[in-house]
């Protein structure tokens, strides 16, 4: 098969790779229907994460089950399935509590490289969720979004304790931030403030349910949020970037007693203890346990309640994966969908 491999900063290649095979009796092999480039892939592409050897890329996927191992009972060949970026058993105490990305048996799917024609999924019964039927091509982008960005935006909103009538601010206008807006709308928030300086992203945020746009950032952005919230700050703030500036912006935009849901992969963030102590802000986040939300999200998509696939503003054949990375790196695209 063919798939993407990163060799170093700015160097993603589409090349021949070994076909995945069943190596554990709990594995499934799926034929990828669609995959995509993640904002977190850009940490590698930009050389912020070091690449020590040629590495297969991609951890977002949906597709048709081709084969299953002898112990797999619920997942069957021919099903259309979606899974999260971490395989999980869905049975341990941590999974039962809803934190599948910390499953005691978790395995990172990205190790197999989902930007490819086929993918091995460990712990298939615990990881994969099947759709009611084979979806139309039009539905596939939204189902793919559930694999990571929608599930992550959803978890951010849950972690930020978004409730009906709340005011929510969203730091970050990438695909996750935009889908955090969608999640906050679905969860009944009243005022949803999207922080974005890009017109195309502002428009999508408004379409997904944002009521206000703040174009400033840092201290100015915080001041702007305070102005919109009677000087108090938002009840709930979604942090979807992962930098020192974005994290402090999120904490300072939250009112005392409020909640920050942080899902931007943290890079070099250090929190000032004393400021945190006096802020009275709850912090909850981490790698989103997408598997917890998949059945509900698939149901919403299947019944045309939400259309998260709109974050894919660039569609490419998988063979053009390098262009997908470049377009996202240069912010010419919000998110690139790759069709094998
Ligand atoms: Zn588990």
């Amino acid at each position: 098969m063919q798939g993407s491999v990163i060799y170093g900063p700015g160097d993603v290649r589409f090349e021949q790779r070994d076909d995945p095979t069943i190596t554990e009796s709990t594995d499934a092999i799926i034929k990828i229907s669609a995959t995509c480039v993640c904002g977190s892939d850009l940490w590698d592409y930009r050389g912020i994460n070091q690449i020590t050897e040629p590495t297969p890329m991609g951890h977002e996927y949906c597709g048709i089950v081709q084969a299953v191992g002898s112990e797999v009972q619920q997942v069957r060949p021919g099903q259309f399935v979606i899974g999260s970026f971490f395989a999980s058993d869905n049975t341990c105490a941590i999974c039962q509590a809803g934190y599948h990305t910390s499953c005691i048996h978790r395995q990172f799917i990205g190790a197999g490289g989902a930007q490819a024609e086929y993918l091995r999924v460990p712990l298939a019964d615990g990881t994969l969720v099947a759709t009611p039927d084979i979806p139309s091509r039009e539905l596939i982008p939204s189902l793919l979004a559930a694999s990571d960005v929608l599930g992550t935006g959803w978890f951010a909103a849950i972690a930020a304790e978004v409730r009906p009538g709340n005011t929510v601010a969203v730091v970050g206008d990438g695909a996750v931030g935009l889908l955090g807006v969608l999640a906050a709308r679905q969860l009944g928030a009243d005022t949803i403030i999207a922080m974005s300086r890009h017109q195309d992203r502002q428009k999508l945020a408004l379409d997904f349910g944002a009521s206000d746009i703040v174009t400033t950032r840092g201290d100015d952005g915080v001041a702007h949020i305070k102005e919109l919230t009677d000087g108090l700050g938002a009840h709930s703030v979604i942090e979807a970037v992962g930098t020192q500036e974005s994290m402090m912006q999120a904490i300072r935009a939250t009112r005392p007693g409020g909640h920050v849901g942080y899902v931007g992969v943290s890079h070099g963030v250090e929190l000032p203890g004393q400021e945190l102590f006096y802020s009275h802000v709850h912090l909850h986040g981490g790698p989103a346990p997408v598997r917890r939300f998949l059945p509900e999200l698939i149901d919403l998509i299947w019944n045309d309640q939400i259309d998260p696939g709109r974050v894919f503003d660039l569609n490419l054949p998988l063979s053009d994966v390098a262009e997908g990375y470049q377009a996202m790196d240069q912010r010419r695209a919000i998110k690139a969908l790759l069709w094998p």
Side-chain angles (χ1 to χ4, degrees):
M1 71 165 185
Q2 291 190 295
S4 81
V5 178
I6 192 164
Y7 279 76
D11 185 5
V12 170
R13 303 180 199 173
F14 184 68
E15 59 180 36
Q16 200 67 32
R17 289 184 41 209
D18 291 339
D19 287 342
T21 54
I22 304 268
T23 56
E24 303 278 340
S25 55
T26 49
D27 288 351
I29 304 295
I30 66 173
K31 185 177 198 296
I32 299 289
S33 299
T35 179
C36 50
V37 181
C38 183
S40 67
D41 293 336
L42 297 181
W43 294 106
D44 294 356
Y45 187 77
R46 290 170 173 160
I48 297 164
N49 294 342
Q50 199 150 16
I51 311 296
T52 52
E53 58 182 340
T55 307
M57 290 294 286
H59 56 263
E60 295 160 276
Y61 59 96
C62 59
I64 306 277
V65 178
Q66 298 292 298
V68 296
S70 58
E71 281 185 68
V72 176
Q73 295 186 336
Q74 279 141 45
V75 172
R76 294 184 308 276
Q79 286 180 322
F80 186 95
V81 291
I82 303 152
S84 160
F85 44 90
F86 272 108
S88 52
D89 58 18
N90 199 33
T91 54
C92 75
I94 306 298
C95 283
Q96 291 297 299
Y99 288 84
H100 298 72
T101 29
S102 283
C103 173
I104 61 169
H105 294 122
R106 74 172 185 179
Q107 294 185 49
F108 184 51
I109 292 281
Q115 291 160 3
E117 293 173 283
Y118 294 91
L119 178 70
R120 172 183 163 256
V121 178
L123 303 171
D125 276 338
T127 305
L128 297 170
V129 179
T131 52
D133 205 340
I134 302 298
S136 67
R137 188 175 167 96
E138 291 69 47
L139 220 48
I140 287 179
S142 286
L143 293 168
L144 174 64
S147 173
D148 182 351
V149 277
L150 173 62
T152 297
W154 200 272
F155 172 61
I158 296 282
E161 303 273 342
V162 172
R163 304 236 190 280
N166 268 11
T167 294
V168 182
V170 180
V171 179
D173 64 359
V176 170
L178 291 166
L179 291 171
V181 169
L182 179 151
R185 177 54 65 210
Q186 285 291 314
L187 293 166
D190 181 31
T191 301
I192 302 172
I193 307 163
M195 307 189 83
S196 173
R197 300 187 296 176
H198 300 84
Q199 223 162 20
D200 53 333
R201 294 163 191 245
Q202 292 170 3
K203 184 181 176 309
L204 197 48
L206 292 168
D207 288 352
F208 280 156
S211 50
D212 299 86
I213 301 287
V214 163
T215 57
T216 46
R217 60 199 290 177
D219 291 343
D220 291 343
V222 170
H224 211 139
I225 300 287
K226 293 261 173 86
E227 276 168 37
L228 291 166
T229 54
D230 301 322
L232 301 175
H235 297 96
S236 299
V237 178
I238 289 172
E239 192 286 324
V241 184
T243 63
Q244 182 72 21
E245 184 189 31
S246 65
M247 194 69 181
M248 293 316 299
Q249 193 175 314
I251 291 167
R252 290 169 182 160
T254 308
R255 69 178 58 190
H259 296 76
V260 173
Y262 63 99
V263 293
V265 180
S266 181
H267 280 77
V269 176
E270 291 187 23
L271 301 181
Q274 196 171 54
E275 179 176 350
L276 201 57
F277 182 80
Y278 285 107
S279 72
H280 268 151
V281 167
H282 302 72
L283 302 180
H284 183 198
V290 172
R291 175 65 183 80
R292 188 204 311 179
F293 308 110
L294 274 178
E296 179 184 2
L297 297 178
I298 289 170
D299 195 53
L300 286 169
I301 293 164
W302 202 262
N303 294 303
D304 288 326
Q305 303 292 302
I306 55 174
D307 191 8
R310 292 184 60 199
V311 294
F312 295 108
D313 56 347
L314 179 62
N315 278 256
L316 295 169
L318 179 59
S319 54
D320 288 348
V321 58
E323 162 59 12
Y325 277 80
Q326 197 175 71
M328 283 177 61
D329 180 45
Q330 297 171 351
R331 290 178 75 90
R332 282 186 280 120
I334 298 171
K335 195 164 175 69
L337 190 149
L338 305 165
W339 298 96

